[in-house]
Amino acid sequence: MTNAAFPATDLDRWATTREIKRQPAIWRSFGPHLATIAAEIKAWIAERRPDEVWFSGAGTSAFVGETLASYLNTAPGPIRFRAIPSTDLIAAPRNYLRPGIKLLVVSFGRSGNSSETIGTLDLLAAHAPEADRLHITCNANSALARTDNAGPGELRNIVLPPETDDSGFAMTSSYTTMLLTALAVFDPAPPAPIAELMARLADGAEALLAGQLERLIALPMPERAVFLGSGPLTGSSRESALKVLELAAGQIPTSWDSTLGFRHGPKAITNGRTRVFVLLSSDPHTRRYDTDLATEVAAQFGADVVLRLGDPAAGADIPVPSVGTDAWSSVLYVMVAQLLSVIWSHKLGLTVDNPFASGNLTRVVAGVKLYPLPATGPQLFGALDVGGTKIEARLFDNKLDVIERQRFPTAKGSYEELLQALEGAVGWLDQVSGTKVQLGVGLPGLIDPATGISMTSNVPATGHTLSADLSARIGRAIPVENDCKCFALSEANGGAGAGYRTVFGLILGTGAGGGVTVDGKLVVGHNGLPGEVGHFGLPAELVQRHNLPIVACGCGRTGCYETLLSGPGMGRIAKHLTGETVDSAAIVARAAAGDAAMRQVLDIWFDILGELVHTIQLTIDADCVVIGGGLSNIDGLVTELSRVFAPKMLPGVRQPAFATARFGDASGVRGAAMLVAGARK
């Protein structure tokens, strides 16, 4: 090991050095083409509307996803971004694969042919063929560059310029260009046009090479190296630590962490011969923590131990230009580590382009024994939807497609009789599935999330803990949830609300109620109340304008929306206006046939519906309102609702998307199955 300096030109003998230095030229020339590619892929993603995007790769390719997920999840929108290394996905696929989720898997790979790449493609083809795929690779002749897809999910791929396919052991331009490509595709609001961003990053990289290479060569080689960063720069720290560890062939042990996380044990690696690199965030709030940690380490181990990377005005020792955001600038921070890893590998007398002459590690991981996930047949899930007259029982496969269905009469004489009827329906599900199937139950009424005690009006379960009592009888845990909330859960995951962040599911039938989901998860609340909009009070202005009747509600209050907006409520409006006793189906049919009186009833009903949705929007500001129940079958419902809602909106407010249930009458029971099927609850 030597700390002697040398001319920078000595490093040019290595392909790895040349690959680091050509990154600015690659980014600048690729920028305009990337802008076109990104626009096309963005449009495709918007059309496909995934619930989740997984960023997958192995080693350095996995670290791309860590920076992306940290950054992209801060943006508004319905998509959840996850970094799932292919090594984890292959080893424990059941921890990640689950039904009811519209999925886009983004696979990164320099070679595009590693064992984990092939394993991921095979796993998805066998167990998630409906998932969409986006492949980003540097190798035009790789498995990731193929254009065929094994399943119904759609495939797109992006092949980077051939110069990014690094020949050296370490991933350099391949890493940075894959990361920038994904940022261009997924960043909903890039800090500048893509081509301009790429050019500015190229300028920053050239400034680093021109101004810092000699200084980095002169730095004494440490015994250990630590890289720390926060937010998107945490992933950059991990990649930086790996670069040094790889090219030093393990002779310089490394560590990485967030600046706050480092204090909790990992700081034990530090001594007076350690070099701690702190990647200063461009966010002033985050940078306070970065600076405090750097100051603390310097005080404890010596000022020479710490080097700060970032804005010199913020106290950085090594200037790294800030271009847009930490996520976009992260490639410049990593470039410093790339240079250090080459310098230290050279000083150690190693073959920089392949420090592992023994073959212990190879440029492309191959020969890993892959074990296919056993095809044990479809996993089955059951569900019961309890109504006032019937219990709907359905058996679903692992894609939440219906296999079997049966209806049982709802026993309403007593709670004991209700439990016996439910026990019989569960027995039927067990019989047709051939096993003690996992199932969920949708129940009309409120369920206290703290105690499990329900309050119902159409079935005799008030004051009882149906979930606990039924679970004790059946011998397995059976979750019970409000049927409207089950409906909302179903429609937010794979239904008409898929792809929207905040979804309100509104059921209009014998009653009126709903459920709220955010990012596909039910909002439960303190008492299980979110969505109980049928018990909002009708506004006085609306009552006065239409001379509406004030009716006592089953909840014990008077003048609730449910009394007029439900199916029976529409009949009450007709009775009040015309004196006729007529049900909602007849009202709708007669209005369509030209009956002026029934048309007036329907117009008033729509005005009430628009007012309720306006109140919902003022309360939760949903991106999408999905309507189900018998009244959702009214022809032109969505169009008419949009028309009556528009004049009620506050100035400058955007209208939510309106839709009718994708799964119709089956949506509630599908949502009950999701209580156990692994969908987001």
Side-chain angles (χ1 to χ4, degrees):
M1 180 181 291
T2 176
N3 279 316
F6 49 82
T9 52
D10 282 6
L11 296 176
D12 289 337
R13 78 176 73 170
W14 305 115
T16 304
T17 307
R18 299 191 295 273
E19 287 161 357
I20 293 170
K21 288 184 174 182
R22 72 186 179 199
Q23 289 174 107
I26 291 172
W27 303 342
R28 185 175 283 110
S29 63
F30 185 46
H33 184 45
L34 176 58
T36 301
I37 293 172
E40 293 173 353
I41 300 297
K42 276 180 185 285
W44 173 68
I45 293 171
E47 176 188 330
R48 300 300 293 170
R49 293 171 60 184
D51 296 329
E52 290 191 0
V53 173
W54 294 358
F55 297 118
S56 185
T60 287
S61 295
F63 305 158
V64 172
E66 292 186 7
T67 293
L68 289 168
S70 175
Y71 173 62
L72 294 172
N73 279 318
T74 63
I79 301 176
R80 179 189 182 196
F81 297 92
R82 302 181 67 189
I84 301 179
S86 56
T87 46
D88 292 351
L89 181 59
I90 292 168
R94 293 188 180 92
N95 288 4
Y96 304 101
L97 297 173
R98 61 198 198 281
I101 300 299
K102 186 83 168 79
L103 182 62
L104 169 60
V105 180
V106 184
S107 293
F108 299 98
R110 174 174 64 174
S111 73
N113 288 319
S114 71
S115 295
E116 290 85 1
T117 292
I118 303 302
T120 298
L121 297 181
D122 290 345
L123 177 71
L124 294 174
H127 296 280
E130 71 285 352
D132 292 327
R133 328 280 181 81
L134 174 61
H135 298 167
I136 301 177
T137 183
C138 307
N139 182 2
N141 298 311
S142 67
L144 284 186
R146 73 188 192 191
T147 57
D148 61 307
N149 201 19
E154 294 188 5
L155 168 66
R156 298 290 187 274
N157 51 37
I158 302 174
V159 178
L160 303 185
E163 313 91 81
T164 63
D165 192 4
D166 311 304
S167 62
F169 179 90
M171 289 178 62
T172 55
S173 64
S174 53
Y175 166 83
T176 58
T177 313
M178 284 195 293
L179 173 54
L180 293 174
T181 298
L183 280 169
V185 168
F186 288 100
D187 192 342
I194 300 303
E196 178 186 331
L197 273 173
M198 297 291 278
R200 287 168 56 190
L201 287 165
D203 293 342
E206 288 169 346
L208 271 176
L209 288 166
Q212 299 302 315
L213 181 55
E214 295 283 358
R215 182 181 177 192
L216 296 176
I217 290 173
L219 282 176
M221 190 161 45
E223 180 182 284
R224 307 167 185 176
V226 176
F227 293 86
L228 306 173
S230 301
L233 295 179
T234 306
S236 305
S237 298
R238 188 172 188 181
E239 167 61 8
S240 297
L242 179 64
K243 284 286 100 40
V244 172
L245 188 67
E246 285 179 332
L247 293 193
Q251 295 185 44
I252 301 178
T254 63
S255 181
W256 64 273
D257 213 315
S258 66
T259 47
L260 281 178
F262 185 61
R263 290 188 177 98
H264 294 266
K267 194 167 69 170
I269 194 175
T270 314
N271 60 23
R273 295 175 301 281
T274 304
R275 182 74 73 177
V276 178
F277 296 88
V278 180
L279 283 55
L280 298 178
S281 172
S282 61
D283 183 294
H285 175 77
T286 304
R287 192 169 58 237
R288 291 190 182 101
Y289 296 101
D290 302 335
T291 302
D292 286 352
L293 188 281
T295 301
E296 176 184 305
V297 172
Q300 292 175 336
F301 299 97
D304 291 342
V305 167
V306 177
L307 276 176
R308 303 161 181 85
L309 279 62
D311 183 358
D317 306 297
I318 299 176
V320 175
S322 177
V323 180
T325 64
D326 284 348
W328 285 92
S329 301
S330 66
V331 294
L332 301 179
Y333 288 90
V334 171
M335 192 171 178
V336 173
Q338 292 173 352
L339 293 169
L340 286 170
S341 63
V342 168
I343 292 165
W344 292 342
S345 181
H346 183 80
K347 286 184 177 183
L348 287 166
L350 298 170
T351 302
V352 174
D353 294 333
N354 183 15
F356 301 95
S358 64
N360 292 339
L361 292 178
T362 56
R363 177 182 177 275
V364 178
V365 174
V368 176
K369 186 175 182 180
L370 299 174
Y371 300 92
L373 188 64
T376 56
Q379 190 174 359
L380 303 178
F381 305 101
L384 303 178
D385 187 19
V386 182
T389 59
K390 62 177 176 56
I391 299 170
E392 178 82 13
R394 296 199 179 191
L395 185 68
F396 296 86
D397 65 15
N398 62 356
K399 296 181 177 61
L400 293 178
D401 292 329
V402 178
I403 299 174
E404 298 282 354
R405 57 176 294 186
Q406 183 67 273
R407 287 183 174 180
F408 300 87
T410 302
K412 300 174 66 174
S414 66
Y415 180 60
E416 174 61 27
E417 290 177 2
L418 176 64
L419 284 175
Q420 290 175 2
L422 292 171
E423 190 173 3
V426 173
W428 175 81
L429 285 170
D430 288 349
Q431 180 181 2
V432 296
S433 67
T435 184
K436 288 189 174 183
V437 71
Q438 296 300 304
L439 73 145
V441 175
L443 184 73
L446 283 174
I447 296 120
D448 188 325
T451 64
I453 295 174
S454 58
M455 181 178 71
T456 59
S457 58
N458 295 323
V459 294
T462 296
H464 297 282
T465 54
L466 182 62
S467 176
D469 296 340
L470 185 59
S471 297
R473 284 184 178 234
I474 304 302
R476 77 202 82 148
I478 300 180
V480 177
E481 186 54 88
N482 170 267
D483 55 353
C484 294
K485 291 177 173 57
C486 290
F487 166 80
L489 183 64
S490 173
E491 290 299 325
N493 291 280
Y500 294 98
R501 183 158 194 259
T502 304
V503 176
F504 191 91
L506 177 61
I507 291 184
L508 300 173
T510 55
V516 184
T517 67
V518 177
D519 293 333
K521 301 177 183 178
L522 280 176
V523 178
V524 176
H526 184 53
N527 294 288
L529 292 173
E532 292 293 337
V533 297
H535 301 293
F536 287 174
L538 289 158
E541 187 275 335
L542 193 67
V543 172
Q544 185 178 38
R545 183 181 349 134
H546 296 301
N547 187 29
L548 296 173
I550 303 299
V551 181
C553 181
C555 73
R557 289 159 43 87
T558 300
C560 294
Y561 268 99
E562 183 174 282
T563 62
L564 299 182
L565 199 54
S566 61
M570 187 185 290
R572 290 189 184 102
I573 298 172
K575 179 74 171 178
H576 182 70
L577 291 181
T578 69
E580 285 190 68
T581 300
V582 56
D583 64 20
S584 58
I587 293 169
V588 172
R590 286 171 56 178
D595 187 318
M598 294 302 116
R599 182 66 252 180
Q600 183 185 10
V601 171
L602 205 55
D603 287 344
I604 292 173
W605 183 86
F606 266 110
D607 195 23
I608 298 170
L609 175 59
E611 193 66 37
L612 175 61
V613 173
H614 176 58
T615 304
I616 291 169
Q617 287 305 97
L618 291 176
T619 307
I620 67 166
D621 198 16
D623 300 291
C624 179
V625 177
V626 183
I627 301 176
L631 296 179
S632 69
N633 296 317
I634 297 174
D635 286 343
L637 175 85
V638 167
T639 302
E640 184 65 10
L641 173 57
S642 182
R643 184 188 69 80
V644 301
F645 179 78
K648 299 178 185 294
M649 294 189 297
L650 297 178
V653 171
R654 294 183 298 276
Q655 190 173 111
F658 294 126
T660 54
R662 177 182 174 186
F663 296 103
D665 294 342
S667 206
V669 71
R670 180 176 181 268
M674 284 185 174
L675 298 175
V676 292
R680 293 171 294 177
K681 303 191 282 289

